[in-house]
Amino acid sequence: MTSHRPTRTQTTLGAAVALDGVGAHSGLASRLLLTPAEAGSGIVFSRLGGVDALRAEARNVSSTDLCVRLGAGAASISTIEHLMAALRGLRVDNVAIEVDGPEVPAMDGSAAAFVAAIDEAGIVALDAPRRAIVIRAPVRVADGAAWAELAPAPAGGFSMDVEISYAAAPIGRMRRRMRLTPASFRAEIARARTFGFLSDAERLWREGRALGASLDNTIVLSEGRALNPQGLRFADEFVRHKMLDVLGDLALASAPIVGAFRSYRGGHRLNLALVETLLAAPSAFAIVGGERRPRSRPAARIGASG
């Protein structure tokens, strides 16, 4: 049974679940295995059969070029952002993730397949309080006209206000605001797909990049329209997908953020710079709730929406 009640305890998956797909950038087949983890474990990635583990934290980000890549030593896993958004959006705190390939599979370019996998596995509450990062003072980063900021949220919770601006049609200037809950995540942003321009794709292919990108996992734009036969899922799918990316990037703060996020013409690099700036300013936030140390067992199944 699915529950829409928020929980103040940490969560994990109720069972292991696997997905298969193709990496958008490598073009290689990739298998993903998500398994339950103890309280305080956090989200940890590793290569299937490997020994090196990468905690999903901003300090382990090695690149934000086209996607978010975790890397430390010889270990490297790319394109984690949509999976991270699904885990944060559905309030899953602790998962061990094994990837058989260099990157998380793109699936359809959104978080929908990851949501379905989490629903299949179920979510269980753990007998340990959830940690949260509560914003106490505004933090802002900028790059030319682009900027991103976090501010206190008097009413609690987490909200996003995202604006994008592209000269090319059919995007133009779009803005969307939302208060994040598992229900709003499912309804408003989980199904929003990544997008790009055909002219850019051709250049990337020549450079040996975006080798797995296709109409099956990307909204491809050319001459003012989407080339995908099924069209758009939402009239403003572009800004919704940017919100999906924001959620996945901010999940690398290592705990849910209680605050209000705003950005203009943002992206992975700016989002991660904001996380790093926040964590380097301890007076701007307070950590409340549980410990990071693994110490507890599953307590009760609460369903896929946290």
Side-chain angles (χ1 to χ4, degrees):
M1 179 181 296
T2 297
S3 169
H4 293 281
R5 294 179 295 104
T7 175
R8 296 193 179 190
T9 64
Q10 294 183 40
T11 62
T12 189
L13 299 180
V17 64
L19 301 95
D20 293 280
V22 174
H25 301 291
S26 67
L28 299 175
S30 180
R31 182 173 178 81
L32 188 69
L33 179 64
L34 311 180
T35 59
E38 292 184 306
S41 300
I43 310 299
V44 180
F45 286 83
S46 63
R47 294 291 288 269
L48 197 64
V51 295
D52 294 324
L54 290 166
R55 185 181 289 274
E57 295 182 342
R59 63 178 179 171
N60 288 329
V61 172
S62 60
S63 174
T64 55
D65 183 20
L66 299 180
C67 65
V68 176
R69 178 186 304 139
L70 297 178
S76 177
I77 296 173
S78 297
T79 325
I80 67 167
E81 55 268 24
H82 301 164
L83 174 56
M84 290 299 298
L87 294 169
R88 179 62 76 231
L90 298 183
R91 296 177 177 160
V92 182
D93 302 299
N94 304 287
V95 184
I97 303 170
E98 290 184 292
V99 186
D100 185 15
E103 64 179 319
V104 172
M107 310 313 290
D108 71 348
S110 76
F114 304 126
V115 169
I118 294 168
D119 285 349
E120 179 183 340
I123 301 175
V124 294
L126 297 168
D127 186 20
R130 169 178 282 137
R131 298 170 69 248
I133 298 172
V134 180
I135 305 301
R136 299 298 193 197
V139 176
R140 182 182 176 103
V141 295
D143 181 8
W147 54 267
E149 67 179 17
L150 281 163
F158 178 72
S159 64
M160 290 185 283
D161 182 344
V162 175
E163 186 173 2
I164 62 174
S165 181
Y166 288 78
I171 305 178
R173 194 159 182 167
M174 293 182 176
R175 182 178 182 182
R176 189 171 185 87
R177 306 173 182 87
M178 68 173 287
R179 181 177 175 82
L180 182 70
T181 66
S184 67
F185 173 76
R186 289 175 180 277
E188 298 186 40
I189 63 175
R191 296 179 60 247
R193 296 161 295 170
T194 192
F195 60 92
F197 297 92
L198 182 61
S199 57
D200 292 335
E202 292 170 340
R203 172 182 56 81
L204 292 170
W205 291 333
R206 288 194 300 270
E207 296 172 354
R209 302 195 290 172
L211 299 178
S214 71
L215 294 175
D216 293 328
N217 57 35
T218 306
I219 302 171
V220 180
L221 302 171
S222 181
E223 298 181 354
R225 66 183 183 91
L227 301 183
N228 308 65
Q230 71 273 32
L232 300 178
R233 293 175 177 173
F234 310 94
D236 61 349
E237 189 166 0
F238 311 105
V239 70
R240 290 177 190 244
H241 184 78
K242 287 292 187 180
M243 298 178 94
L244 183 71
D245 283 343
V246 165
L247 188 58
D249 294 342
L250 266 57
L252 295 171
S254 77
I257 292 174
V258 177
F261 172 89
R262 290 187 62 204
S263 69
Y264 174 67
R265 295 177 62 181
H268 294 306
R269 186 171 62 84
L270 205 60
N271 296 338
L272 266 298
L274 181 63
V275 171
E276 293 172 354
T277 301
L278 170 68
L279 297 180
S283 62
F285 68 93
I287 295 179
V288 300
E291 301 175 7
R292 293 175 61 100
R293 178 172 53 88
R295 61 182 180 87
S296 41
R297 63 186 185 281
R301 190 179 181 92
I302 62 173
S305 64

